[in-house]
Amino acid sequence: MHQPPTFEVDGTAIREERMCAGLEISEAAKAAGISRRYLSHLENGTRRRMRPSRYVALRAALNSNDDRLLAARAKIPKE
């Protein structure tokens, strides 16, 4: 069975970005169009992968970038 493409994210970085943006978890989740529980699971590492549409929405809600939010092993080195 084919798995859809996903992004492996860094939960600690997500939490730090949310806090730097001055957002409560429920505010950030609402802005990204995801549930508070889902965002909590991402931040605490219970979930580590996100579908592209959800990842892009969260990245925009946090006004962040791939270098900050993707897990280290998922980052593509720059040449």
Side-chain angles (χ1 to χ4, degrees), residues 50-63:
M50 297 182 77
R51 290 191 180 202
S53 60
R54 289 181 177 178
Y55 170 73
V56 170
L58 178 61
R59 185 182 65 197
L62 298 177
N63 194 28

Side-chain angles (χ1 to χ4, degrees), residues 27-45:
E27 295 170 322
K30 184 176 181 178
I34 59 177
S35 72
R36 181 201 172 288
R37 183 175 180 181
Y38 180 68
L39 181 53
S40 177
H41 284 236
L42 291 168
E43 287 187 0
N44 69 33

Side-chain angles (χ1 to χ4, degrees), residues 3-79:
Q3 295 292 325
T6 59
F7 289 94
E8 187 171 354
V9 296
D10 180 344
T12 301
I14 291 172
R15 177 180 286 123
E16 289 171 357
E17 290 293 297
R18 176 180 59 76
M19 293 175 79
C20 284
L23 297 171
E24 294 292 328
I25 195 165
S26 56
E27 295 170 322
K30 184 176 181 178
I34 59 177
S35 72
R36 181 201 172 288
R37 183 175 180 181
Y38 180 68
L39 181 53
S40 177
H41 284 236
L42 291 168
E43 287 187 0
N44 69 33
T46 302
R47 293 191 66 123
R48 294 191 175 129
R49 302 194 77 70
M50 297 182 77
R51 290 191 180 202
S53 60
R54 289 181 177 178
Y55 170 73
V56 170
L58 178 61
R59 185 182 65 197
L62 298 177
N63 194 28
S64 192
N65 59 53
D66 292 340
D67 288 336
R68 184 71 179 120
L69 298 181
L70 293 179
R73 59 184 167 268
K75 292 179 184 171
I76 300 170
K78 292 185 170 79
E79 296 180 21

